[in-house]
Amino acid sequence: MAHPRPQLVQGGPRWLDVQSGAGLSFDELEPPLDEARADGQPLALRRADAPSRAALAPTVPARGSAGGAPAAGATPPAPRTGAMLALSPTSASATRFRVDGELGRGGMGAVRDVRDRALRRQVAVKVMIDGPADQAAELRFLREFQILAQLEHPNIVPVYDAGTTNGAVSMTMRLIRGITLSAWLRDHALTTPANVDEFIELMVRVCDGLGYAHARGVIHRDLKPDNIMLGAHGEVYVMDWGCAGLVASMISRDGVEPVVIDPVMEQLDRPGIVLGTAAFMAPEQARGELARMDGRTDVYGLGAIIYVALTRQPPHPHRDPLAAIAAAQLGEVVHPRTLRPTSDLPDGLIAIAMRALEADPGRRFASIGDLREALVGLRRTGGVEAATFAPGELLCAETEPGEVAYLLESGEAVAYRSDGGARVVLGTLGPGDVVGETSLFTGRARATTVEAVTTVRALRVTRATIEREVASKAWAAAIVQALARRYGDTANQLASTRRQLARFTDLARIRALLRGARAGLPVEVAAAALGQPVDQVLDLVEFSGEFDVDAGGRLQPR
């Protein structure tokens, strides 16, 4: 018998016969998709766990009733789902959801790829794995659903509904079409500027989602590359909040409402209980120190993700979970340079990871916001780092390869060039001056030595940094390199001109000395007057062709 259409009652509450989608049964046999009858009418939708008629009677008006309550003896309509479909006449029966596959499986739950036939879309449904009844595990599932449903942010996966599926608690959420961060890292080593920049952008987006959660008093406590999803259209989502907990002291005072869960679920977290993934755990988490867990616990987790990106292994890479937990409790992490000493890893990202992975929470970034600021700063400066030089120390030296340039922030340095053994001072340098940029662009050996006169603090710019900044714009790279080559050619021409001018000046002085020497000018006297070695004076004389040297070692005009 066909179900009667639900009535909209004038003068009383307006009711639609709509039931929770998460409470519908799945068609596990995957029948052929047949979403409409031959006569064009939509198929009816069957609910697995329909509430009793008595439960529905006070709220669902019967046909012909005059008010909000059903008429005496009237039978309320059978429950159906789908706000639009509930208004359409139908007589057939079919399930709304069809399982198309499994997306993943963890210790307690499985995530299924499901077709919502009423709304014509794919969704993801997280279902508690079948097994012996465990009230605590079921409550943890429900706690995750309650927390996640209240976190509405572009970088946190949206929840559509929650309830039960075939008797097991379940949550319906957006199906993310994309890959995990783990999969992305397999194809993107952080040894190229483009990959480093993209990775930093992904981490900034993760920080945005976590920062929002922290402001509402929620910490994730299970951050790892597998729990970060990258959508097909550039979306970044923090997934799997099954280990999430509440920290009242973190709640923002800027008008943000705290996340609230049922009191019975708050009791699931007790001192000594260890939740999360051992290979990525912060020490306080591995020790079950509930009172010490706060936003800095997630700072550690994000540092662990960066560490994996740098080293291809987690901070506590033991296969045995107990050994991993023991290592996490100690908080000892091998430096990335020890694991990959010859790799071209970005120093700035290493520094951020190691600070986030400090065993003492007080030595980490104070918040996810501070970590985000460090990442943004690293991206903004292109990985430029500070360097300090003591008086007398060389910033760069002649003939060495030009792999680094320096932007002076404080202190004073002197630039000079060796010319025939003599030190020719080219000028002094101070804050705002740049050192070594020509060789950096042209690839030629340095032609100038720069020495610190006082303590010098400078920003260190590498060739990789420059490539990172201009790699995305080929025309910019071409212009910069052309200018550098032109400047280098000009500098070489200027140096040649200076050498010729110095020779001309020296020869003029030799002529003047010879005019006052009747018996010729001893070469040693000329060398002393010019402040040059004897050999250099002899080379100058030979080059000029103006003088001869007699048997007594005296210069004579030709």
Side-chain angles (χ1 to χ4, degrees):
M1 182 178 74
H3 298 303
R5 293 172 62 91
Q7 302 297 305
L8 301 180
V9 182
Q10 300 297 326
R14 290 174 176 258
W15 296 94
L16 288 179
D17 186 12
V18 181
Q19 301 298 327
S20 168
L24 300 180
S25 63
F26 287 158
D27 183 359
E28 301 283 1
L29 299 180
E30 300 184 36
L33 183 60
D34 180 16
E35 302 190 24
R37 292 180 0 202
D39 60 4
Q41 295 296 323
L43 293 172
L45 300 173
R46 173 174 55 83
R47 186 174 185 275
D49 315 331
S52 67
R53 294 180 184 273
L56 286 174
T59 57
V60 181
R63 180 188 295 273
S65 64
T75 301
R80 285 172 290 139
T81 188
M84 292 177 288
L85 297 184
L87 300 178
S88 303
T90 180
S91 60
S93 166
T95 55
R96 173 176 175 180
F97 294 96
R98 184 190 71 221
V99 174
D100 287 343
E102 188 168 286
L103 301 171
R105 179 175 288 257
M108 294 195 305
V111 181
R112 294 167 177 169
D113 182 0
V114 173
R115 175 69 175 177
D116 182 340
R117 300 171 73 178
L119 298 180
R120 305 294 199 271
R121 68 177 177 183
Q122 297 295 126
V123 296
V125 178
K126 185 172 184 177
V127 185
M128 190 170 179
I129 297 174
D130 295 336
D134 184 343
Q135 185 179 16
E138 190 171 86
L139 285 175
R140 289 193 184 281
F141 249 62
L142 293 175
R143 181 175 72 168
E144 177 186 1
F145 302 166
Q146 281 194 354
I147 290 175
L148 192 51
Q150 296 174 69
L151 297 179
E152 300 181 54
H153 188 275
N155 300 119
I156 298 176
V157 61
V159 171
Y160 296 149
D161 204 351
T164 60
T165 296
N166 295 340
V169 292
S170 65
M171 173 173 61
T172 306
M173 53 192 172
R174 177 179 294 172
L175 174 64
I176 309 302
R177 302 184 186 278
I179 60 173
T180 65
L181 181 61
S182 293
W184 187 89
L185 289 173
R186 283 195 289 271
D187 298 327
H188 297 79
L190 299 191
T191 54
T192 66
N195 287 349
V196 171
D197 279 351
E198 187 173 353
F199 177 74
I200 290 176
E201 174 61 24
L202 295 176
M203 290 300 96
V204 167
R205 305 271 289 281
V206 171
C207 286
D208 290 340
L210 291 173
Y212 166 79
H214 288 185
R216 299 195 63 191
V218 178
I219 54 176
H220 189 281
R221 297 192 298 193
D222 196 19
L223 293 171
K224 55 186 177 182
D226 283 344
N227 286 344
I228 308 297
M229 283 293 298
L230 312 180
H233 304 289
E235 313 97 310
V236 179
Y237 294 104
V238 182
M239 309 287 290
D240 199 343
W241 294 73
C243 295
L246 303 187
V247 181
S249 62
M250 292 171 45
I251 298 171
S252 170
R253 299 182 182 273
D254 299 329
V256 178
E257 293 184 3
V259 167
V260 179
I261 59 176
D262 293 342
V264 67
M265 298 177 186
E266 294 180 356
Q267 300 172 13
L268 293 171
D269 279 347
R270 296 189 300 275
I273 293 179
V274 177
L275 294 175
T277 304
F280 297 85
M281 279 186 188
E284 67 273 15
Q285 186 178 357
R287 293 192 289 261
E289 297 173 343
L290 183 62
R292 298 189 68 196
M293 295 184 208
D294 56 24
R296 295 170 298 181
T297 303
D298 280 350
V299 166
Y300 191 99
L302 196 53
I305 291 177
I306 299 173
Y307 187 89
V308 170
L310 293 167
T311 66
R312 302 305 178 99
Q313 70 177 45
H316 319 301
H318 300 275
R319 293 185 178 274
D320 180 3
L322 293 180
I325 289 177
Q329 290 174 344
L330 294 175
E332 297 177 354
V333 179
V334 179
H335 196 281
R337 290 291 182 199
T338 301
L339 295 173
R340 303 180 65 187
T342 61
S343 179
D344 187 20
L345 295 175
D347 292 330
L349 208 53
I350 290 176
I352 289 175
M354 295 310 291
R355 181 178 174 186
L357 291 171
E358 287 281 358
D360 180 2
R363 296 175 62 86
R364 301 173 200 158
F365 294 99
S367 67
I368 282 290
D370 288 350
L371 194 158
R372 182 189 190 280
E373 184 178 342
L375 289 169
V376 171
L378 181 63
R379 184 176 57 187
R380 183 171 56 246
T381 61
V384 175
E385 300 173 353
T388 302
F389 299 88
E393 191 174 355
L394 299 183
L395 281 73
C396 56
E398 295 171 78
T399 71
E400 73 177 7
E403 296 295 333
V404 180
Y406 296 96
L407 172 62
L408 272 63
E409 290 188 314
S410 63
E412 181 179 322
V414 60
Y416 60 87
R417 179 181 290 113
S418 298
D419 190 354
R423 176 167 161 168
V424 180
V425 175
L426 304 178
T428 58
L429 304 170
D433 288 326
V434 180
V435 174
E437 74 285 356
T438 302
S439 297
L440 188 66
F441 283 113
T442 63
R444 299 172 182 171
R446 299 192 190 281
T448 305
T449 298
V450 178
E451 179 181 320
V453 176
T454 64
T455 299
V456 171
R457 181 175 174 81
L459 294 179
R460 182 175 181 271
V461 184
T462 66
R463 185 185 301 277
T465 303
I466 298 297
E467 291 174 351
R468 179 182 301 119
E469 294 301 311
V470 300
S472 60
K473 298 179 178 62
W475 59 267
I479 290 176
V480 170
Q481 290 173 354
L483 288 173
R485 284 194 296 270
R486 188 170 300 174
Y487 177 79
D489 293 341
T490 302
N492 290 336
Q493 293 173 4
L494 179 60
S496 176
T497 301
R498 284 175 174 165
R499 286 194 296 271
Q500 293 177 15
L501 179 60
R503 287 171 177 171
F504 176 80
T505 302
D506 290 343
L507 289 172
R509 294 191 64 187
I510 291 175
R511 294 190 197 101
L513 291 170
L514 274 174
R515 283 196 292 270
R518 298 179 181 178
L521 178 67
V523 174
E524 291 82 358
V525 174
L530 297 177
Q532 297 177 7
V534 171
D535 290 345
Q536 188 170 331
V537 172
L538 291 175
D539 289 341
L540 176 63
V541 168
E542 183 180 355
F543 169 80
S544 69
E546 297 182 33
F547 311 101
D548 289 322
V549 181
D550 62 19
R554 295 181 175 82
L555 296 178
Q556 303 287 352
R558 284 188 178 181

